[in-house]
């Protein structure tokens, strides 16, 4: 395992700049906007604790995973324009070294697919990394304002 500092841990701890800030924090997980080239609206769902694989999750962490991913995917779908699909991918490598486990929740936009030659799924993500186009910070901030509202707990309906 690398002795390099963990960027995911630094972002969660607030010791590295995080455009848009933390969108949601549960007992075990945090949700934030991706700092890489995967486009405006790509959110990361990652454990607060540094783990490198699903097999390391506690029972509590694992129990929150599915419902939280569904909630975040719904928020991305609601907030992202031109969204054809929402990708949810587990990533836990950095430079071929196990890194902080995180789920990438990414809007698959028609404009991104078209701009990258019709690529979709993992091919779209790879093309976006090759292009290395960083999202506009103001657009990230605006998306995060909308997503924060979409992720806010809803009051139960009276009945």
């Amino acid at each position: 395992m690398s002795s390099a500092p963990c960027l995911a841990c630094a972002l969660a701890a607030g010791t590295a700049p995080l455009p848009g800030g933390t969108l949601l924090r549960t007992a075990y997980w945090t949700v934030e906007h991706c700092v890489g080239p995967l486009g405006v609206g790509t959110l990361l769902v990652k454990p607060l604790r540094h783990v490198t694989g699903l097999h390391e999750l506690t029972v509590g962490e694992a129990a929150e995973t599915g419902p939280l991913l569904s909630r975040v995917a719904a928020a991305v779908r609601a907030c992202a324009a031109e969204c054809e699909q929402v990708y949810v991918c587990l990533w836990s490598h950095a430079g071929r070294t196990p890194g902080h486990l995180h789920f990438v929740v990414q809007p698959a936009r028609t404009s991104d697919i078209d701009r990258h030659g019709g690529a979709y799924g993992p091919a779209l993500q790879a093309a976006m990394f090759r292009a290395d186009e960083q999202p506009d910070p103001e657009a990230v901030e605006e998306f995060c304002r909308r997503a924060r509202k979409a992720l806010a707990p809803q009051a139960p309906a009276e009945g």
Side-chain angles (χ1 to χ4, degrees):
M1 178 159 220
S2 171
S3 62
C6 175
L7 176 59
C9 288
L11 291 166
T15 59
L18 179 60
T22 299
L23 302 179
L24 178 69
R25 192 166 285 220
T26 71
Y28 303 108
W29 295 86
T30 188
V31 179
E32 59 198 35
H33 197 281
C34 179
V35 296
L38 294 178
V40 173
T42 300
L43 302 183
L44 298 184
V45 178
K46 63 187 183 186
L48 291 170
R49 193 171 65 85
H50 184 86
V51 298
T52 60
L54 283 173
H55 65 283
E56 296 176 25
L57 296 180
T58 66
V59 171
E61 290 165 339
E64 262 191 12
T65 306
L68 181 58
L69 289 174
S70 178
R71 182 176 171 192
V72 173
V76 167
R77 182 74 177 199
C79 296
E82 300 180 26
C83 185
E84 292 183 14
Q85 181 59 283
V86 177
Y87 300 153
V88 178
C89 317
L90 174 121
W91 290 11
S92 62
H93 264 110
R96 236 182 133 182
T97 300
H100 197 121
L101 173 119
H102 57 285
F103 291 92
V104 175
V105 184
Q106 179 187 24
R109 289 188 177 89
T110 302
S111 57
D112 290 330
I113 292 168
D114 291 346
R115 191 169 61 257
H116 294 287
Y120 58 91
L124 175 61
Q125 293 176 334
M128 292 176 91
F129 269 100
R130 280 191 302 275
D132 197 27
E133 298 167 357
Q134 299 301 313
D136 174 59
E138 289 181 19
V140 169
E141 293 288 342
E142 176 55 34
F143 183 90
C144 288
R145 280 190 285 279
R146 293 192 315 273
R148 199 173 277 107
K149 289 178 186 173
L151 288 166
Q154 304 297 314
E158 292 188 34

